Amino acid sequence: MCAEDSERGVMAPFLSGGGLGIILGRKPTGKKMKFLLLVLVGVVHLLSLNSGKAIYGNGISQRTFQEIKEEIACYGDVAKAIINLAVYGKAQNRSYERLALLVDTVGPRLSGSKSLEKAIQIMHQNLQEDGLENVHLEPVKIPHWERGEESAVMLEPRIHKMAILGLGSSVGTPPEGITAEVLLVTSFDELQRRAPEARGKIVVYNQPYTNYSRAVQYRVQGAVEAAKVGALASLIRSVASFSIYSPHTGIQEYQDGVPKIPTACITVEDAEMMSRMASRGSRIVIQLKMGARNYPDANSFNTVAEILGSKYPQQIYLGQLHPALTAQGTSSHLPGENWALACACHCAAWPASPLLRVSGSHCHFRTWMRYQTMGPAMRPQEHLKN
């Protein structure tokens, strides 16, 4: 039962091992090409496992492993055709060129910024030009936050200007900044044990990086936990497995009833340096200045596009991607990953979506791509209802 509905797969594995390079038109060779072909054949099929079959309450289709294995084996030629189109055919380099155009022309796309709105208009126009169905913009209110000027200078035990980036939605410091001693901790548990020491200080988190989901808690919740014990501000070690003295920012969240304190990320190198200083008993003092400000919500849009299915038009594959950033740079890897993801799924993603049209692949399901700037995630049933 080999159908030509290869565009319904999932793709997280496709983003590693060079998958993004394929979509951007870079040429893999040898064993890597064979590996990517096997990966693509597998992942493009994962969402097709229930075509025309009931999905039970536990979300598991009642199909044997052998049935699934046999159906996956049917997708080799289709997967190879898509890869050849993207890497060697007339779609070669197209996605890369579109990605480069976006990041070169628009630059950083902070929520509420004019750059974000320009990026949305570019995406909307290109989706229309690519001939996708039901291309439209959904009006939405989004947070408007500006980072402003910011700096952090270590005053003791020596003068050292630190690289920092304010975390998304952080409040700013007074114009004169906050000058205070540092309390360095490696976990929330340690912060609680040393709570009496935290009052009136800047809490610095040097949390170890084991994986992203664990480490990112300190970025999201670090300011709240520090404020609860009386800290004046918080700095977190960038949530990254590798650093070249590069702060890695992102969103953070305040909590009702807890004072809002300024918060920013620092580099892995500076966090480790202060950890060594603290272990020697050195007194660390930092002057932190942040001009961050929150404004009333701004008007923006979610961008929606579809490819209507020919066989199961009422069954939907739904993908939601975000074009907005809290980063200072262009973060070209984010749209690149999003579009590689969408292309692996063969969804209505820009700039990967034209591959469906050019390759001649058939879209059996209704694929619905939402470039969600802000707002709650929408389920396919809600989309049909609306």
Side-chain angles (χ1 to χ4, degrees):
M1 52 174 295
C2 183
E4 296 176 356
D5 48 356
S6 62
E7 60 278 10
R8 291 172 285 148
V10 221
M11 29 351 142
F14 191 74
L15 298 183
S16 60
L20 176 58
I22 277 190
I23 301 308
L24 297 184
R26 301 168 190 167
K27 298 181 180 180
T29 57
K31 293 182 179 179
K32 179 177 285 189
M33 183 65 177
K34 293 179 181 178
F35 168 76
L36 290 170
L37 180 58
L38 290 172
V39 170
L40 181 58
V41 170
V43 300
V44 296
H45 176 71
L46 292 182
L47 286 181
S48 69
L49 300 182
N50 295 296
S51 56
K53 293 181 178 290
I55 302 177
Y56 293 82
N58 58 6
I60 300 175
S61 171
Q62 301 301 302
R63 302 180 67 187
T64 66
F65 177 77
Q66 185 60 32
E67 289 176 322
I68 296 171
K69 181 179 178 182
E70 290 173 358
E71 187 167 351
I72 288 176
C74 298
Y75 291 90
D77 291 342
V78 175
K80 187 175 181 180
I82 295 167
I83 290 174
N84 286 338
L85 175 68
V87 178
Y88 307 108
K90 56 183 177 181
Q92 183 183 30
N93 294 329
R94 179 166 56 188
S95 294
Y96 180 85
E97 289 166 1
R98 282 193 169 185
L99 174 60
L101 174 65
L102 180 74
V103 299
D104 293 346
T105 304
V106 176
R109 304 173 298 282
L110 202 61
S111 175
S113 68
K114 292 181 179 179
S115 294
L116 173 61
E117 298 313 304
K118 186 175 181 180
I120 291 171
Q121 294 302 323
I122 291 174
M123 290 166 55
H124 181 248
Q125 178 181 341
N126 278 271
L127 288 167
Q128 289 179 316
E129 292 173 353
D130 290 337
L132 276 72
E133 292 88 1
N134 194 23
V135 178
H136 64 277
L137 299 175
E138 296 178 341
V140 66
K141 290 284 189 179
I142 63 172
H144 181 191
W145 174 79
E146 294 183 3
R147 179 171 280 112
E149 296 294 324
E150 54 192 9
S151 66
V153 180
M154 179 189 294
L155 303 178
E156 297 182 32
R158 67 178 176 90
I159 301 296
H160 171 58
K161 186 175 181 180
M162 304 167 65
I164 69 164
L165 281 175
L167 299 183
S169 79
S170 173
V171 297
T173 64
E176 68 276 11
I178 294 173
T179 301
E181 187 176 348
V182 161
L183 173 65
L184 190 139
V185 297
T186 58
S187 68
F188 290 138
D189 287 341
E190 182 180 358
L191 178 63
Q192 291 304 313
R193 290 195 303 269
R194 303 179 64 185
E197 304 175 52
R199 184 164 297 279
K201 294 182 180 178
I202 297 175
V203 168
V204 174
Y205 295 98
N206 185 33
Q207 75 283 352
Y209 185 92
T210 54
N211 59 53
Y212 186 82
S213 61
R214 290 182 181 178
V216 78
Q217 297 176 40
Y218 291 87
R219 190 190 78 201
V220 176
Q221 305 169 23
V224 167
E225 296 304 317
K228 287 178 180 178
V229 293
L232 300 179
S234 68
L235 300 173
I236 68 150
R237 167 180 168 153
S238 289
V239 182
S241 58
F242 178 78
S243 176
I244 49 173
Y245 202 70
S246 48
H248 177 218
T249 188
I251 195 67
Q252 63 87 34
E253 296 176 356
Y254 289 122
Q255 184 176 311
D256 291 343
V258 178
K260 296 180 179 181
I261 62 174
T263 182
C265 64
I266 59 176
T267 65
V268 171
E269 291 87 343
D270 281 340
E272 287 291 320
M273 178 183 67
M274 284 190 282
S275 180
R276 295 192 298 272
M277 290 175 171
S279 69
R280 301 185 193 109
S282 299
R283 182 174 184 263
I284 306 170
V285 176
I286 288 177
Q287 182 186 63
L288 177 67
K289 291 184 178 181
M290 294 176 59
R293 291 186 63 184
N294 287 281
Y295 296 89
D297 287 352
N299 294 316
S300 188
F301 300 95
N302 292 328
T303 310
V304 178
E306 291 186 36
I307 298 177
L308 296 180
S310 58
K311 190 171 182 179
Y312 305 110
Q314 295 308 309
Q315 296 186 33
I316 295 177
Y317 171 76
L318 168 65
Q320 300 190 99
L321 312 174
H322 65 92
L325 303 169
T326 52
Q328 188 80 332
T330 58
S331 290
S332 57
H333 68 288
L334 290 176
E337 288 171 357
N338 284 345
W339 297 331
L341 166 67
C343 188
C345 297
H346 282 205
C347 293
W350 179 80
S353 55
L355 290 180
L356 251 188
R357 303 292 188 194
V358 180
S359 69
S361 297
H362 297 287
C363 182
H364 286 200
F365 273 60
R366 186 179 194 173
T367 57
W368 184 60
M369 186 58 61
R370 189 183 202 219
Y371 297 86
Q372 180 161 327
T373 304
M374 195 58 59
M378 182 180 286
R379 295 180 174 84
Q381 293 85 349
E382 298 176 54
H383 172 60
L384 283 178
K385 182 176 64 177
N386 293 336

